[in-house]
Amino acid sequence: MVKNNLKFSPKNITTINSYARRMNDEIKGDDIGYYHLPSLGMDIVSKIEEMAKCDFDSVVLVGVGGSSLGVKALYDMLNLQKELIFLDNLDPYSIEKKCAKIDPNKTLFIISSKSGTTIETISIYKYILAKFVIKSYENFIFITDPDSPLESYAKKVGAKIFNIPKNVGGRFSVLSAIGLVPLGLCGADIKDLLAGANSAKEQYLDNGDDGVLQKAYCYATHGSARINVLFSYSDRLTSFNEWYVQLWAESLGKKRGYKRVGLTPVGLVGSKDQHSFLQLIMEGVKDKTVTFITIKDHNSTISVPNLKLNFLDGCDFVNSKSIAEVFNAQAHSTMQALASEMISIDELVIDRLDEWHCGWLIYYYELLTSATGLMLGINTYDQPGVEAGKRILKKLLESKES
């Protein structure tokens, strides 16, 4: 069970319904495919389950951006059986250090790139081929678009291939093979993951709950608040924050004609960031909205010991209380403090971090992103600013060769 407590007044229902109709038109079209992943993903479940029976100790995922951030978010939220090693940045120190610990004979390698030509991914893959002197591709899996250059290569070497639907963008792809394959191989219950996502789909798209649209409208029309803070009260949500930052920034930072629009994402982790960024939210410029994520069951029963220490009696008010109770009370006291400053806030309350709830949370944020982009009047699904940098990189390195 997940509950979104909105702390702001609902907007005119006629306006919200007009956006709901436009969103339904987008869902019914063929251009945006992520909406349908909760059902489409079931098509590859049996294949993943069969592969998970193989004898291996760990999985290495080579991929960047949309090919890794969502996977890492889910992996860190869940307690899985197998180690998943991420090679997701072209930092030579990190690549060398992580590869030094890999036993290629006991590892499944996943090479993940939607386009099939991601320079970081292919460069790291080449390093793996050379370092481990790969001759057999039996323990390699390639995840890419149909008919991409990477798929052609994988067919040539006889490796296993999973496809991403062409109408699913990279940052919206975690509920496709991009996420299901590595997570399923590491022991995740991907049926439950998809069931949670499907529950969010039914709630907001099929059953008429307008909570996502109300929240998106608040974000898109809040004239002064152009920064959206996600305050997650669990260390296990740190990587989820990073995925949210990519999803929000790459989707919503766009040019609309000659005007630049967008909402800046910030990911915080409670309670430690109460001792840093919170001061800026409380007394800095009122240009932020804040969503809190709290968890009812942290899967821990530890308590603060009933110890009285000299000179530290001011801390005794939490003695004998469960640390989870203190932790969640910190979140709610912070919410009250922000509300007293008239900061726009809302809370997502999650029962626990398991596959079902994580699937729900992923799909919810994808829907929220789509709805906000719709209300900003932009193309939520392209990234022309990123592509410009890629073209410059190629020219820069080719000019050095000549």
Side-chain angles (χ1 to χ4, degrees), residues 119-133:
I119 196 66
E120 297 94 335
T121 304
I122 303 306
S123 297
I124 296 170
Y125 173 57
K126 288 178 179 178
Y127 176 77
I128 288 171
L129 290 180
K131 176 176 176 59
F132 298 120
V133 195

Side-chain angles (χ1 to χ4, degrees), residues 233-234 236 294-300 324 327-328 351-352:
Y233 273 72
S234 172
R236 289 176 290 165
T294 60
I295 302 168
K296 288 183 179 179
D297 180 2
H298 287 275
N299 195 28
S300 173
F327 192 39
N328 286 343
D351 281 355
R352 67 193 67 84

Side-chain angles (χ1 to χ4, degrees), residues 11 17 88 118 123 144 153 164 249 272 282 284 288 293 300-301 331 338 397 400:
K11 303 303 176 184
N17 284 343
D88 56 357
T118 310
S123 297
T144 186
Y153 169 84
I164 312 160
K272 60 186 179 183
M282 282 291 294
K288 305 166 192 70
I293 299 181
S300 173
T301 58
L338 292 179
L397 293 179
K400 286 187 176 181

Side-chain angles (χ1 to χ4, degrees), residues 18-33:
S18 69
Y19 282 111
R21 287 191 292 271
R22 290 169 61 186
M23 198 166 187
N24 283 330
D25 289 341
E26 188 173 273
I27 294 164
K28 292 174 183 176
D30 295 328
D31 294 334
I32 312 303

Side-chain angles (χ1 to χ4, degrees), residues 320-362:
S320 301
K321 297 185 182 297
S322 75
I323 290 182
E325 180 185 356
V326 177
F327 192 39
N328 286 343
Q330 286 180 309
H332 290 109
S333 62
T334 302
M335 288 182 222
Q336 290 182 32
L338 292 179
S340 71
E341 292 291 329
M342 304 300 290
I343 306 295
S344 181
I345 63 171
D346 70 289
E347 179 188 14
L348 278 167
V349 185
I350 300 173
D351 281 355
R352 67 193 67 84
L353 283 182
D354 57 14
E355 282 88 343
W356 191 96
H357 289 87
C358 290
W360 192 100
L361 191 60
I362 288 286

